[in-house]
């Protein structure tokens, strides 16, 4: 543990003092408390056995929609080897209260990710959203939220229709009947068309396995980029609606990197993140 650089570990209460004496910061966590946490899927992608074509999109396992739905929830990742670093980045990107049960072989990679996350400039900013989703608490709507997040469609979870947004998605209405949610993919496409790509605040090009979470306030913006593909992405193109000044990026495993090919026009700013491992952030001053 000390060699990995991981600074905190959760242990059974009766073992916490022994860990502390060994020089490792230990937080007591009882099995009963662990059992109360909601288990999240191991993040990553899965090839679909019923989809053999090379042109088919991979199936992405991501948990952002679950944390967005219940930001005050307490979560647990039960992870196989190779998943710890991405899970830590995902929890950080969405501000989740999460415990990671990891494979011991991931100690080094997790330590590197935790060191990267702790070195990032602090940015606790609210989500940017283009439309509202009225949450009825159903599993059906949860799957719709899952598809929306995976397709980088930015929404705010609300309890009732919001006058702040032109598009409000509420199942059971004439515009979005309950049966429409039987095909979440088709419903996500319908919502995208209602919003229009021109009015989307965020669009990503060059990868189908990178999910962005855009946050910001009147003074600054942070774009979280999570790469679920398991391999480095080269040349990720980002389009943000609005005119943004020059920004800076940090990429796990690479440190600070320069954004490339910045272009401003037609009410939008575009730039390229040259390389992206499992996680990176882009910080920008607010749009002019």
């Amino acid at each position: 543990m000390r060699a990995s650089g991981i600074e905190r570990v959760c242990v059974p209460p009766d073992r916490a003092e022994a860990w502390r004496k060994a020089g490792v910061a230990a937080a007591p966590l009882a099995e009963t408390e662990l059992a109360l946490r909601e288990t999240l899927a191991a993040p990553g992608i899965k090839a679909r056995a019923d989809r053999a074509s090379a042109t088919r999109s991979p199936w992405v396992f991501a948990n952002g929609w679950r944390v967005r739905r219940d930001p005050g929830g307490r979560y647990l990742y039960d992870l196989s080897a190779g998943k710890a670093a991405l899970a830590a980045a995902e929890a950080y990107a969405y501000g989740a209260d999460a415990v990671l049960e990891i494979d011991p072989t991931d100690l080094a990679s997790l330590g590197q990710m935790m060191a990267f996350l702790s070195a990032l400039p602090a940015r606790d900013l609210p989500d940017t959203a283009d439309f509202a989703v009225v949450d009825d608490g159903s599993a059906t709507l949860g799957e719709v939220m899952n598809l929306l997040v995976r397709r980088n469609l930015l929404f705010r979870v609300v309890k009732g229709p919001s006058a702040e947004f032109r598009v409000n998605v509420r199942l059971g209405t004439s515009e979005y009947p309950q049966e429409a949610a039987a095909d979440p993919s088709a419903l996500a496409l319908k919502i995208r068309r209602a919003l229009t790509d021109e009015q989307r605040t965020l669009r990503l090009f060059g990868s189908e396995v990178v999910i962005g979470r855009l946050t910001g306030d009147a003074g600054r913006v942070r774009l979280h980029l999570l790469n679920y593909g398991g391999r480095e992405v080269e040349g990720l193109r980002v389009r943000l609606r609005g005119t943004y000044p020059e920004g800076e990026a940090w990429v796990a495993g690479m440190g600070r990197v320069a954004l490339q090919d910045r272009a401003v026009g037609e009410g939008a700013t575009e730039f390229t993140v040259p390389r992206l491992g499992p996680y990176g952030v882009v910080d920008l001053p607010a749009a002019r």
Side-chain angles (χ1 to χ4, degrees):
M1 287 292 296
R2 284 195 295 267
S4 72
I6 296 173
E7 297 180 353
R8 192 163 183 253
V9 59
C10 297
V11 300
D14 61 347
R15 299 182 188 175
E17 186 59 28
W19 278 87
R20 295 188 189 111
K21 288 180 178 178
V24 177
L29 182 66
E31 287 291 339
T32 52
E33 182 184 348
L34 197 63
L36 293 175
R37 288 179 173 263
E38 181 181 352
T39 301
L40 300 177
I45 61 170
K46 181 179 180 180
R48 303 185 64 181
D50 60 335
R51 301 290 188 269
S53 170
T55 62
R56 297 284 185 177
S57 299
W59 188 261
V60 177
F61 290 95
N63 299 289
W65 70 274
R66 297 175 73 171
V67 181
R68 294 281 310 282
R69 193 176 208 182
D70 184 13
R74 305 174 79 183
Y75 300 99
L76 169 68
Y77 288 92
D78 185 2
L79 302 165
S80 57
K83 299 292 187 179
L86 179 56
E90 184 181 72
Y92 175 88
Y94 289 97
D97 177 348
V99 171
L100 280 62
E101 289 189 339
I102 73 167
D103 187 286
T105 59
D106 279 352
L107 276 173
S109 61
L110 178 59
Q112 291 166 6
M113 178 59 75
M114 297 298 288
F116 172 76
L117 298 176
S118 65
L120 287 174
R123 294 286 189 275
D124 185 13
L125 300 169
D127 280 293
T128 298
D130 292 328
F131 62 100
V133 174
V134 180
D135 190 5
D136 60 8
S138 69
T140 300
L141 184 63
E143 186 55 31
V144 174
M145 290 183 186
N146 182 16
L147 266 291
L148 295 175
V149 168
R150 283 166 42 193
R151 296 183 181 184
N152 291 304
L153 296 167
L154 307 181
F155 62 90
R156 181 175 301 160
V157 180
V158 296
K159 297 299 183 183
S162 172
E164 181 180 349
F165 299 100
R166 176 175 59 86
V167 175
N168 279 263
V169 179
R170 185 177 188 178
L171 295 183
T173 63
S174 58
E175 189 172 9
Y176 300 103
Q178 194 73 38
E179 56 269 22
D183 187 345
S185 182
L187 182 54
L189 180 58
K190 179 178 180 178
I191 295 168
R192 175 180 168 180
R193 287 172 173 167
L195 179 64
T196 74
D197 283 345
E198 289 72 21
Q199 294 300 310
R200 290 171 61 188
T201 302
L202 169 68
R203 297 178 70 188
L204 301 179
F205 304 91
S207 174
E208 294 182 297
V209 295
V210 176
I211 292 177
R213 182 193 179 205
L214 185 64
T215 63
D217 58 19
R220 54 191 177 176
V221 167
R222 168 165 284 183
L223 173 62
H224 301 264
L225 295 169
L226 289 155
N227 174 13
Y228 290 84
R231 61 182 63 182
E232 192 175 281
V233 171
E234 295 187 6
L236 181 73
R237 190 70 174 167
V238 178
R239 181 186 187 274
L240 295 175
R241 188 159 57 93
T243 302
Y244 287 86
E246 292 279 356
E248 50 193 2
W250 288 266
V251 175
M254 304 170 204
R256 188 169 178 173
V257 301
L259 300 175
Q260 299 178 351
D261 302 323
R262 178 176 176 270
V264 178
E266 299 181 355
T269 303
E270 293 190 9
F271 53 83
T272 297
V273 179
R275 297 168 61 195
L276 179 68
Y279 178 64
V281 298
V282 177
D283 284 342
L284 301 161
R288 299 191 184 104

